[in-house]
């Protein structure tokens, strides 16, 4: 899932990292909750992105080849960009 809004790292209010052995959606939700100063259970990514697909998006292929790319979606009034290099950014959707 992509959209035309692509923030730069200068616009990001948060830059996070995820490890290959953790669920990306959980890490993003946790960090977004920190940004919003709410409990992680109050963050709803499910309305905007298929979290199971997000968690598997950058898994290696059956041949062991690493996947590359990024996915951009909006949640809780923020643009979230998740990259295959293990990083993600959170930026305010309104600017």
């Amino acid at each position: 899932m992509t959209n035309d809004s692509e923030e730069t790292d200068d616009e990001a209010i948060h830059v996070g990292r995820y490890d290959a052995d953790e669920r990306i959606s959980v890490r993003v939700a946790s960090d977004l909750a920190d940004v919003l100063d709410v409990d992680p259970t109050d963050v709803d990514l499910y309305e905007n992105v298929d979290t199971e697909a997000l968690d598997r998006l950058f898994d290696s292929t059956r041949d062991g080849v690493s996947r590359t790319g990024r996915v951009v979606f909006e949640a809780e009034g923020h643009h979230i960009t998740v990259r295959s290099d293990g990083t993600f950014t959170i930026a305010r959707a309104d600017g």
Side-chain angles (χ1 to χ4, degrees):
M1 170 184 257
T2 62
N3 67 26
D4 293 332
S5 175
E6 182 177 339
E7 85 282 351
T8 65
D9 286 342
D10 291 339
E11 296 170 335
I13 59 172
H14 178 81
V15 177
R17 293 201 58 79
Y18 63 89
D19 295 321
D21 62 341
E22 71 181 318
R23 293 178 53 203
I24 299 170
S25 63
V26 172
R27 171 58 59 199
V28 169
S30 176
D31 285 23
L32 182 55
D34 287 345
V35 167
L36 298 170
D37 195 28
V38 298
D39 190 271
T41 59
D42 294 332
V43 174
D44 185 12
L45 298 182
Y46 307 100
E47 292 292 318
N48 303 296
V49 67
D50 180 335
T51 56
E52 290 181 23
L54 179 62
D55 292 337
R56 294 187 315 266
L57 187 62
F58 300 122
D59 287 350
S60 296
T61 65
R62 284 183 239 172
D63 297 335
V65 177
S66 296
R67 293 186 175 146
T68 60
R70 67 184 167 94
V71 62
V72 180
F73 61 95
E74 190 171 318
E76 304 288 346
H78 290 76
H79 291 293
I80 300 167
T81 303
V82 181
R83 295 177 184 84
S84 58
D85 67 358
T87 64
F88 62 91
T89 56
I90 300 172
R92 287 187 184 90
D94 60 5

